[in-house]
Amino acid sequence: MMNLAADGVHGSLGSIGYGLAAIGPGIGIGIIFGNGVQAMARQPEAAGLVRQNMLLGFALAEALALIGVVMPFVYGT
Amino acid sequence: MTADVQTLASESGCHLFSGCGFPSPGLNVFEFKPIFSIGAFDFTKPMLLALISMLLVIGFFWSAFAKPKMVPRGAQNVGELGYLFVRDNISRETMGKKGDPYVPFLFSIFFFVWVMNVMAIIPFAQFPATSRIAFPASIVGVVYVTYLVLGIKNQGFVGYFKNMMFPPGLPKAIYFLLAPIELLQGLITRPFTMAVRLFANMFAGHMLIVTFSVGAWYLLGFHIGALFSATSFLVVVILTAFELMIQALQAYIITLLAASYISSSLEAEH
Amino acid sequence: MDGAAWSSVGYLLSGMLFYGGIGWLIDRWTGHSALFLPIGLVVGIALSLVLVFVRHGRSS
């Protein structure tokens, strides 16, 4: 808990920070799965290949969200 | 307007311009006074809801399958539809034919979790029992024990952990770095993420609905706030419809995960 | 998605947990406030990504 500049506003800055940090991965994961599904629909015979690469992209984007989770613990207090 | 929100708002009993701040709902929404207590054991609303959903699931499927007919009618029709959905779309998709012995297990998980989730939008219940972590955690505990025992039985104790910790096709030196991650994933984070996913989705969904309901109540009055109150109430209706979808989806996902973990115990991943 | 996408989150978490934990212990040992913990987290994420690639990303 820390006091913000505005009077009477209390709360955890870490949670606000994570809310902001989750925007990017959210958009990224949406784009990855959206385009992945589209690619699978257009070319069903390449579905296996598309799924593998989709998972890699998903893991990379998800890593950013998880970094966002731990940053308040690392640089908190 | 949910039941617990009504108590929350009427306790504070305040509206916009009446001189009190927004009574923002927090973790107190998820705390209930015990209905009765036996010693140190408190019987609360989530437990009651879980019991009711258990009885509902048992009662419905008992009535559906107690006297099965060749030509299904009424409840048996619906029951068979549900069973076929779990068998064809979850079990056969992940495990194939050899997963059929585990279909009853998956079937019970799916319908129990789903009914507990749907309690969130049933009037007077208005609370998803799965938004208390203990319920998802105990369901996942059962799945965890199941896939560990199955894995050790099918692949042997050494073989199971060898398959888990050493994926084939890597240089020897790197196993030294990767084996701890695999062990941690198989034994700790896999059940943990599975429980937390269900819990967090239901928690956040309930929180959203409660926040907008309290907002609609707080802004109510004969002034400009009525406009915002109506908008807030509209959002509640939309979110309720959205939650209905999320509830079914989360029940489906936890069953799918249980099926895929059981299938990874049945045979080593290529 | 046959559970692969979901389990990759588990891999990332456990990698961060293990190597971040080692980094945290080194921090406590050497008296730094936050030096080895972030390094450990990044190393853990990199190794987990390798593992996700090995498990799911390889055409078999």
Side-chain angles (χ1 to χ4, degrees):
Chain A
M1 299 285 276
M2 51 184 87
N3 285 315
L4 301 184
D7 225 22
V9 176
H10 301 281
S12 159
L13 267 181
S15 58
I16 295 177
Y18 180 59
L20 291 175
I23 296 174
I27 295 173
I29 291 170
I31 290 175
I32 289 161
F33 277 100
N35 285 344
V37 168
Q38 201 177 31
M40 275 194 239
R42 286 186 183 209
Q43 218 160 357
E45 67 270 17
L49 192 67
V50 170
R51 181 178 293 131
Q52 286 160 5
N53 289 313
M54 201 164 86
L55 280 175
L56 292 182
F58 167 74
L60 279 168
E62 184 64 33
L64 293 179
L66 290 176
I67 289 177
V69 174
V70 295
M71 271 305 118
F73 294 107
V74 176
Y75 293 113
T77 60
Chain B
M1 188 96 4
T2 62
D4 43 340
V5 172
Q6 263 168 357
T7 59
L8 192 88
S10 62
E11 269 169 19
S12 51
C14 65
H15 292 288
L16 188 63
F17 300 135
S18 69
C20 67
F22 179 61
S24 70
L27 284 177
N28 54 346
V29 178
F30 296 88
E31 303 284 341
F32 292 96
K33 287 197 187 70
I35 298 172
F36 62 84
S37 9
I38 307 164
F41 173 77
D42 290 340
F43 190 84
T44 54
K45 190 178 167 186
M47 293 186 206
L48 181 68
L49 290 179
L51 265 182
I52 290 175
S53 21
M54 184 190 82
L55 290 179
L56 268 179
V57 172
I58 291 178
F60 179 76
F61 288 108
W62 197 282
S63 74
F65 295 126
K67 287 190 279 297
K69 308 228 169 46
M70 274 306 283
V71 183
R73 310 180 50 239
Q76 195 190 346
N77 236 333
V78 182
E80 281 189 0
L81 211 63
Y83 187 84
L84 284 181
F85 168 74
V86 173
R87 195 191 70 182
D88 291 342
N89 286 2
I90 297 177
S91 172
R92 291 252 167 107
E93 278 277 295
T94 49
M95 292 189 264
K97 274 259 192 314
K98 66 185 179 308
D100 281 1
Y102 307 103
V103 174
F105 177 56
L106 301 173
F107 175 73
S108 347
I109 290 181
F110 178 77
F111 281 96
F112 184 46
V113 171
W114 189 32
V115 172
M116 280 208 291
N117 287 350
V118 167
M119 284 291 169
I121 58 169
I122 290 175
F124 301 110
Q126 302 279 31
F127 186 81
T130 39
S131 68
R132 302 297 302 257
I133 185 89
F135 293 101
S138 32
I139 292 169
V140 168
V142 175
V143 176
Y144 180 61
V145 171
T146 308
Y147 80 71
L148 274 188
V149 168
L150 274 178
I152 291 172
K153 212 166 84 180
N154 281 317
Q155 301 169 23
F157 189 80
V158 179
Y160 179 61
F161 283 98
K162 193 163 157 282
N163 281 332
M164 190 205 280
M165 284 167 67
F166 303 106
L170 274 178
K172 282 246 171 4
I174 209 165
Y175 281 132
F176 172 66
L177 293 170
L178 293 184
I181 301 181
E182 283 274 13
L183 192 65
L184 211 60
Q185 195 265 345
L187 293 184
I188 297 171
T189 49
R190 191 149 75 170
F192 175 77
T193 50
M194 190 172 163
V196 164
R197 184 168 298 121
L198 176 60
F199 156 74
N201 271 289
M202 298 327 294
F203 182 93
H206 186 60
M207 198 72 170
L208 264 179
I209 290 185
V210 169
T211 305
F212 277 99
S213 310
V214 171
W217 181 251
Y218 175 69
L219 292 169
L220 204 60
F222 293 106
H223 43 70
I224 185 69
L227 198 65
F228 297 109
S229 175
T231 316
S232 191
F233 188 73
L234 185 71
V235 174
V236 173
V237 174
I238 294 170
L239 276 179
T240 305
F242 181 68
E243 275 300 294
L244 195 61
M245 189 193 81
I246 292 290
Q247 285 151 4
L249 194 67
Q250 287 305 318
Y252 172 74
I253 283 173
I254 199 170
T255 319
L256 188 75
L257 285 178
S260 85
Y261 294 156
I262 287 175
S263 103
S264 76
S265 286
L266 288 181
E267 59 178 26
E269 290 172 32
H270 48 92
Chain C
M1 275 312 106
D2 54 28
W6 304 114
S7 70
S8 63
V9 179
Y11 279 120
L12 286 169
L13 257 180
S14 40
M16 288 170 80
L17 211 65
F18 187 73
Y19 287 96
I22 288 179
W24 184 73
L25 286 178
I26 294 175
D27 266 354
R28 297 247 336 201
W29 184 42
T30 57
H32 288 96
S33 70
L35 173 65
F36 288 100
L37 174 53
I39 294 174
L41 288 175
V42 171
V43 168
I45 284 181
L47 288 174
S48 318
L49 285 173
V50 170
L51 206 49
V52 171
F53 179 72
V54 168
R55 282 281 192 197
H56 306 301
R58 206 177 264 179
S59 50
S60 50

